[in-house]
Amino acid sequence: AQLDTELSRLSPEAQQDIQANLDVIHVAIVEINTALEQDADNVLLQQQLLRAYREELALLRRVGGLTRNVMMRNDI
């Protein structure tokens, strides 16, 4: 819910870009989890999954930062 609120403060183009990036990350997470079901001890897959989650968190943090910057502007 908070992500939706944060996204609503951005332009439609920015919202689409962010959603597209989140979609790519989510597909990667699903694919890595599927591969891990077959090979749970695969360290490379475990590292890729962790990296994907970190990328998702970083993107979500940037969204929060973008909206804070938009709200702080007083020149518009």
Side-chain angles (χ1 to χ4, degrees), residues 6-39:
E6 299 289 338
L7 284 174
S8 70
R9 296 178 179 148
L10 300 174
S11 71
E13 295 83 13
Q15 291 177 29
Q16 289 176 346
D17 288 345
I18 291 166
Q19 190 57 57
N21 284 315
L22 285 172
D23 291 345
V24 168
I25 293 169
H26 291 158
V27 167
I29 289 171
V30 168
E31 290 176 355
I32 295 167
N33 275 319
T34 300
L36 279 169
E37 288 175 7
Q38 304 301 315
D39 188 6

Side-chain angles (χ1 to χ4, degrees), residues 49-68:
L49 183 61
L50 182 58
R51 188 176 309 121
Y53 281 125
R54 285 181 178 156
E55 288 176 14
E56 180 182 32
L57 287 173
L59 178 57
L60 295 174
R61 284 187 187 117
R62 284 193 301 268
V63 169
L66 288 172
T67 60
R68 278 191 297 281

